């Protein structure tokens, strides 16, 4: 059975009382306390928070599923290793002529940047799928010939493959052409950085991320480029790429290298895309 992990954030400050961090160290990671289903220490933690007058901002659930359960959940976030660990370098394949001028002190904005030529790599990747650094709104993925063939064998939709230049012979850019039909509702949002020229969100903190029924296209690959908070709509920088369960099953088969864990704190292997009204969400979501 899938397992839920409940998360607790400090409302008043980023720093938790040291007593809490020491006593519940095994439940603490990246500034968040988390407790799995049935963990008896959760009530002890909540009591300690009350005694220390620690105000908790919110609680949310993360769904942790096993490899054999992948087929039961239709969509996942695509999580891929970055090139920083794989010694791959991106070439100059972007056209910034119509890029947003952004604002003082924020550097160049990625709005308006388009791909002008094939991806050029200086050194062949050591994995079957990898993400290259790029100053644009979409992510640049490179895949091996064998992963390309595997995706073509299942007739993957919402994606195209473009040959790479340079020393990338036998590797292809995996370009996501599909898009979600509607943005997710992220609940309350705290905007950290926003381009003063085009308004795109460059950094923000969101309460959740949940799509309404019918908001996702029946595709194996699709990108999400905007979000909704209440009645407000925002364009967001590289918000997320979504894959179907059959693509996730393929990547998790052990035959291909390059997929990474969705989250380290709490440790979540596969990032499930939440859909409003889905059966697996009907349990005490706060």
């Amino acid at each position: 059975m899938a397992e839920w992990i409940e998360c607790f954030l400090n409302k008043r400050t980023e720093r938790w009382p040291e007593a809490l961090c020491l006593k519940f160290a095994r439940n603490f990671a990246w500034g968040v306390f988390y407790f799995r289903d049935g963990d008896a220490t959760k009530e002890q933690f909540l009591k300690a928070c009350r005694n220390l007058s620690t105000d908790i901002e919110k609680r949310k659930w993360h769904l942790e599923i096993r490899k054999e359960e992948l087929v039961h959940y239709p969509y996942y976030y695509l999580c891929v290793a970055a090139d920083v660990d794989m010694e791959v370098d991106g070439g100059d394949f972007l056209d910034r002529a119509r890029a947003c001028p952004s604002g003082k002190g924020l550097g160049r904005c990625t709005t308006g940047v388009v791909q002008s030529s094939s991806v050029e790599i200086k050194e062949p990747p050591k994995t079957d799928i990898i993400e290259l650094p790029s100053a644009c709104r979409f992510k640049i993925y490179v895949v091996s010939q064998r992963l390309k063939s595997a995706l073509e064998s299942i007739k993957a939709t919402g994606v195209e493959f473009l040959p790479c230049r340079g020393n990338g012979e036998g590797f292809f850019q995996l370009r996501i052409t599909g898009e979600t039909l509607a943005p997710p509702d992220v609940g309350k949002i705290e905007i950290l950085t926003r381009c003063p020229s085009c308004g795109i969100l460059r950094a923000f903190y969101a309460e959740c991320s949940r799509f309404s029924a019918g908001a996702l296209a029946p595709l194996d690959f699709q990108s999400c480029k905007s979000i909704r908070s209440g009645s407000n709509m925002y364009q967001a920088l590289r918000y997320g790429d979504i894959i179907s369960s059959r693509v996730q099953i393929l990547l998790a088969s052990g035959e291909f290298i390059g997929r990474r864990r969705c989250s380290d704190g709490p440790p979540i292997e596969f990032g499930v895309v939440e859909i409003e009204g889905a059966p697996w969400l009907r349990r005490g979501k706060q």
Side-chain angles (χ1 to χ4, degrees):
M1 291 291 293
E3 187 174 16
W4 288 88
I5 300 177
E6 192 174 11
C7 299
F8 297 84
L9 292 86
N10 195 334
K11 184 176 182 179
R12 296 182 179 176
T13 174
E14 294 181 358
R15 295 184 63 85
W16 291 89
E18 186 176 356
L20 281 177
C21 296
L22 292 174
K23 185 174 182 179
F24 302 97
R26 74 177 184 88
N27 301 96
F28 186 69
W30 301 98
V32 178
F33 283 97
Y34 58 90
F35 299 87
R36 282 177 162 77
D37 278 348
D39 191 337
T41 59
K42 184 180 77 170
E43 292 306 319
Q44 299 175 24
F45 170 78
L46 294 175
K47 182 179 179 180
C49 286
R50 290 192 293 269
N51 292 340
L52 294 169
S53 300
T54 302
D55 212 358
I56 297 173
E57 182 179 43
K58 66 176 180 177
R59 310 170 190 177
K60 61 180 179 177
W61 297 92
H62 290 266
L63 186 62
E64 182 179 32
I65 64 173
R66 296 190 296 269
K67 186 175 177 180
E68 59 268 23
E69 296 175 303
L70 291 176
V71 69
H72 300 308
Y73 305 90
Y75 296 103
Y76 297 82
Y77 290 107
L78 178 59
C79 300
V80 173
D83 81 312
V84 64
D85 298 321
M86 301 297 175
E87 300 180 0
V88 180
D89 192 12
D92 187 13
F93 48 84
L94 301 174
D95 182 359
R96 302 177 178 84
R98 298 183 179 179
C100 171
S102 189
K104 186 177 180 181
L106 289 178
R108 291 185 297 184
C109 182
T110 60
T111 302
V113 177
V114 297
Q115 186 172 341
S116 57
S117 62
S118 301
V119 172
E120 181 179 359
I121 55 179
K122 296 182 179 179
E123 188 174 328
K126 299 176 182 178
T127 59
D128 291 294
I129 182 168
I130 200 167
E131 179 186 340
L132 301 183
S134 64
C136 57
R137 284 198 61 191
F138 53 92
K139 295 182 180 181
I140 302 291
Y141 301 109
V142 170
V143 299
S144 65
Q145 172 68 63
R146 69 193 197 103
L147 179 53
K148 171 181 176 287
S149 297
L151 290 168
E152 288 176 332
S153 70
I154 65 171
K155 296 180 171 56
T157 55
V159 66
E160 64 180 5
F161 301 98
L162 307 175
C164 293
R165 293 185 292 127
N167 292 322
E169 184 178 355
F171 287 87
F172 300 80
Q173 178 187 358
L174 182 154
R175 185 162 185 168
I176 298 176
T177 57
E179 292 188 19
T180 59
L181 302 178
D185 181 0
V186 299
K188 295 179 182 178
I189 186 173
E190 178 184 353
I191 298 174
L192 304 177
T193 310
R194 187 175 189 178
C195 178
S197 181
C198 69
I200 192 172
L201 302 189
R202 301 177 66 165
F204 63 92
Y205 178 77
E207 181 182 25
C208 61
S209 178
R210 192 176 301 174
F211 288 86
S212 61
L216 295 174
L219 299 170
D220 292 304
F221 289 87
Q222 54 193 303
S223 292
C224 178
K225 298 179 180 178
S226 60
I227 59 175
R228 176 173 63 85
S229 176
S231 60
N232 297 317
M233 298 283 291
Y234 302 95
Q235 294 293 307
L237 174 62
R238 299 183 193 146
Y239 183 67
D241 293 324
I242 296 170
I243 55 177
S244 66
S245 60
R246 65 188 195 133
V247 173
Q248 185 68 282
I249 290 170
L250 182 68
L251 295 177
S253 65
E255 297 181 23
F256 304 100
I257 304 172
R259 184 188 66 84
R260 66 172 175 81
R261 186 164 65 179
C262 177
S263 171
D264 291 322
I268 304 293
E269 188 69 19
F270 306 104
V272 180
V273 175
E274 296 186 0
I275 304 172
E276 188 68 44
W280 63 87
L281 295 179
R282 296 172 187 163
R283 52 164 305 155
K285 195 89 174 179
Q286 298 183 38

